[in-house]
C-alpha cells in the first residue's frame, strides 16, 4: 500500500537530480581526504596486443577491485591497491562453444594460468602528481607469479558529489604497457605481440 508514495518519491528524485548535479572539479586539492573504494559498475580494464601484425586485439577483465587513500595536504603519500581476477578475462567472442573455449584457453596453460595464479595485484610505491590532472603512479605489479615495477600514466578526471550531494566520487583514466614475456607469458611471441597495453577507466566513492 506504500507503493504510490515510493513511486512519487522516486519521480521527485529523478526530476530534481539534474538540477542538483554539480560538475566535478579537476583540482585535486578540492578532493576530500579519506578512503575511496571502487564503484565496480563504472570500472573497466582492457588489454590490447598485436595479432600477427594485423590488428590490435582487445580483451577485457570483468572482475576487479581497487581502493586508495588520499589527503590533499600530502598528495604524494596517497596509496593505491588493485586486484584483478585473471579468470574473468572476456574475449568478446560470444557465449557459444567457440567463444567459451577461447576464453578458457587464454586463462589456461601457457597463458594466464588462472588456476595456479588466481590474482593479479598492483600496489603503489610512489606518486608523482605532475600538473595535478596528469601524473604517474609507480607500483609493483604481480602477474603470473612475477612481480615487477610498473608506471601508470594517470589522468585525474575530477571529483565531486555526482548525482548524490551526500557522497563524493572521483574518476581516473590510466594507461601502461608491459611486456608479457617478462612475466613468464611468452606463448606465440612474436606472432602474438609481446607488448600489452592496459587501459583503465575507473570511478571511486569516498567511504
Amino acid at each position: 500500500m506504500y507503493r504510490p508514495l515510493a513511486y512519487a518519491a522516486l519521480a521527485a528524485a529523478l526530476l530534481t537530480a539534474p538540477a542538483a548535479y554539480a560538475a566535478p572539479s579537476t583540482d585535486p586539492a578540492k578532493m576530500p581526504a579519506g578512503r575511496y573504494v571502487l564503484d565496480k559498475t563504472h570500472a573497466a580494464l582492457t588489454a590490447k596486443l598485436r595479432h600477427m601484425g594485423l590488428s590490435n586485439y582487445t580483451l577485457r577483465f570483468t572482475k576487479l577491485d581497487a581502493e586508495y587513500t588520499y589527503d590533499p595536504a600530502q598528495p604524494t603519500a596517497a596509496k593505491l591497491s588493485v586486484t584483478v581476477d585473471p579468470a574473468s578475462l572476456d574475449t568478446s567472442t560470444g557465449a557459444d562453444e567457440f567463444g567459451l573455449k577461447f576464453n578458457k584457453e587464454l586463462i589456461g596453460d601457457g597463458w594466464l594460468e588462472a588456476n595456479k595464479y588466481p590474482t593479479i595485484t598492483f600496489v603503489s610505491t610512489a606518486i608523482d602528481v605532475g600538473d595535478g590532472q596528469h601524473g604517474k603512479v609507480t607500483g609493483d605489479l604481480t602477474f603470473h607469479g612475477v612481480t615487477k615495477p610498473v608506471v601508470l600514466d594517470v589522468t585525474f578526471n575530477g571529483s565531486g558529489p555526482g548525482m548524490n550531494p551526500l557522497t563524493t566520487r572521483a574518476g581516473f583514466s590510466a594507461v601502461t604497457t608491459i611486456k608479457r614475456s617478462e612475466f613468464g607469458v611468452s606463448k606465440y611471441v612474436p606472432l602474438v605481440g609481446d607488448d600489452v597495453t592496459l587501459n583503465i577507466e575507473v570511478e571511486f566513492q569516498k567511504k
Side-chain angles (χ1 to χ4, degrees), residues 122-144:
F122 176 84
V123 179
S124 66
T125 56
I127 306 289
D128 178 354
V129 298
D131 63 8
Q133 192 173 4
H134 306 93
K136 296 182 183 294
V137 176
T138 301
D140 290 328
L141 174 66
T142 300
F143 165 49
H144 199 253

Side-chain angles (χ1 to χ4, degrees), residues 78-132:
K79 296 293 184 181
L80 168 68
S81 62
V82 182
T83 59
V84 180
D85 179 359
S88 71
L89 180 144
D90 181 10
T91 61
S92 298
T93 47
D96 59 9
E97 182 179 355
F98 170 79
L100 295 176
K101 182 180 179 180
F102 194 36
N103 284 1
K104 186 176 181 180
E105 178 181 351
L106 292 186
I107 66 174
D109 291 345
W111 292 100
L112 300 186
E113 300 184 289
N115 286 336
K116 187 176 181 180
Y117 307 105
T119 307
I120 299 169
T121 63
F122 176 84
V123 179
S124 66
T125 56
I127 306 289
D128 178 354
V129 298
D131 63 8

